[in-house]
Amino acid sequence: MAVSVGNGGGAELERIEIDLLLEGIFRHYGIDFRGYALGSLKRRLARRMREEGAATLSAFQDKVLHDPAAMERLLVSLSISVTGMFRDPTFYRAFREKVVPLLRTYPFIRLWNAGCATGEETFSLAILLEEAGLLERTRIYATDFNAGVVEHARAGEFPLARMKAYTENYLQAGGTKEFSRYYTADGGAARFSPALLENVVFAKHNLVSDGSFNEFQAILCRNVLIYFGRTLQERVHTLFHDSLVNFGVLGLGHKETIRFTPLEHCYEPIDAREKLYRRVA
Ligand SMILES: C[S@@+](CC[C@H](N)C(=O)[O-])C[C@H]1O[C@@H](n2cnc3c(N)ncnc32)[C@H](O)[C@@H]1O
């Protein structure tokens, strides 16, 4: 179903207004949403417009450009930071069984967790690597363009109510320990052991506008590219390719793929179903 965020002037006018809004945001705030996939962008814009009480895209643009707080709310909405611990457990199981042996061959491992959201994925990786005996010689760089979620991730606190589901995910992902050994309950929060973060660097990084900042043995970027248009996806794949060592590992989300991109020939699958690839060229 098409969601109309415009003022009734038809699809072409709506597209013009969205382009103008995104251009204005880029020029005024330096945040670039111009290459994001239109479908989910329109749904999010429509919701924010309703909540900000803006009847037209032009009125919404006026508000966002003149009110940084409205821009912040839009940023939060467009970030879509839905995540979870050991999300898609079969991915982690494949990572444990097929990627860990590859990583073991390196004396020191740098892993980039791009689009880490509130950190559940980062903690899952730290736990997995700890159990594999690799955490000590790994540095995880966990990045997101939304400063608020990065801050949240650093705190290492997640709702206690979600621990039952996360424990199930952990077990399905091949975990064999008591999951509760990794956190302490504090009111409604599960506070994860700070020891897991000893080798984790959280930082703000925008995949659209920031460049490479290191060379990695593995890059995981799951459920982020799905929100980008094709051109932007290709740009980010170039960034990842430039940032991976030869034979380095790329992990994507279940709905994402390196296939049908210009860099497809540079990778071979480690586990095609789980979207785990190895750079070979
Ligand atoms: C749906 S979450 C995915 C979180 C986690 N990777 C997972 O799979 O559970 C998408 C994340 O991508 C981040 N993101 C969106 N655009 C980004 C960009 N241009 N640069 C960096 N992160 C971005 C959002 O802020 C959000 O935290």
Side-chain angles (χ1 to χ4, degrees):
M1 187 185 78
V3 178
S4 176
V5 297
N7 53 9
E12 195 194 332
L13 188 53
E14 180 184 273
R15 183 63 211 254
I16 292 169
E17 287 190 295
I18 291 175
D19 286 351
L20 287 172
L21 170 69
L22 301 182
E23 185 66 28
I25 289 172
F26 175 58
R27 292 191 37 195
H28 189 55
Y29 293 105
I31 309 170
D32 195 354
F33 289 109
R34 294 174 300 176
Y36 279 53
L38 199 59
S40 77
L41 199 63
K42 276 165 81 168
R43 284 193 294 277
R44 303 271 152 182
L45 286 176
R47 194 157 105 207
R48 281 275 15 105
M49 281 175 63
R50 271 197 307 278
E51 286 169 8
E52 299 285 347
T56 64
L57 267 162
S58 307
F60 186 57
Q61 172 176 312
D62 191 55
K63 174 137 202 184
V64 165
L65 292 185
H66 290 96
D67 179 358
M71 178 61 225
E72 190 57 39
R73 291 190 289 273
L74 177 60
L75 174 65
V76 169
S77 172
L78 294 182
S79 309
I80 317 174
S81 51
V82 178
T83 186
M85 295 192 84
F86 292 95
R87 177 183 189 181
D88 299 325
T90 52
F91 173 90
Y92 286 92
R93 185 177 274 276
F95 190 92
R96 202 185 277 270
E97 290 170 359
K98 299 178 184 172
V99 175
V100 161
L102 302 176
L103 296 181
R104 225 180 260 299
T105 62
Y106 295 103
F108 190 78
I109 303 152
R110 279 183 302 271
L111 188 157
W112 182 10
N113 180 201
C116 66
T118 37
E120 286 86 337
E121 187 175 50
T122 314
F123 274 89
S124 308
L125 288 166
I127 289 169
L128 191 157
L129 291 167
E130 212 265 322
E131 293 182 358
L134 290 180
L135 189 58
E136 254 188 7
R137 56 175 149 127
T138 304
R139 176 141 306 159
I140 302 178
Y141 297 82
T143 64
D144 202 285
F145 81 147
N146 178 342
V149 295
V150 174
E151 199 63 24
H152 189 139
R154 245 187 225 117
E157 276 187 27
F158 307 114
L160 194 58
R162 300 203 63 182
M163 291 306 128
K164 188 169 178 289
Y166 290 168
T167 303
E168 275 162 27
N169 283 357
Y170 164 78
L171 294 173
Q172 277 176 38
T176 52
K177 307 259 177 9
E178 284 286 325
F179 189 58
S180 56
R181 76 204 293 261
Y182 296 109
Y183 63 86
T184 49
D186 184 359
R191 183 168 296 156
F192 276 72
S193 163
L196 290 169
L197 291 190
E198 255 166 39
N199 289 341
V200 178
V201 178
F202 284 109
K204 201 176 144 193
H205 180 280
N206 191 329
L207 290 165
V208 179
S209 46
D210 295 331
S212 179
F213 57 94
N214 216 323
E215 205 177 42
F216 301 93
Q217 279 70 37
I219 298 177
L220 296 195
C221 182
R222 302 169 60 226
N223 308 301
V224 180
L225 296 180
I226 196 174
Y227 300 110
F228 294 177
R230 197 180 176 84
T231 310
L232 187 51
Q233 287 186 13
E234 286 174 8
R235 186 199 174 281
V236 177
H237 277 309
T238 303
L239 173 69
F240 289 160
H241 182 257
D242 291 348
S243 308
L244 269 179
V245 298
N246 220 358
F247 301 118
V249 173
L250 176 68
L252 302 175
H254 268 173
K255 293 189 197 124
E256 297 154 341
T257 182
I258 190 71
R259 291 199 66 203
F260 315 116
T261 74
L263 287 170
E264 176 178 2
H265 66 283
C266 298
Y267 292 88
E268 65 182 27
I270 295 171
D271 186 323
R273 238 198 78 155
E274 297 303 334
K275 308 299 165 61
L276 282 163
Y277 310 94
R278 193 175 197 194
R279 184 189 153 173
V280 290

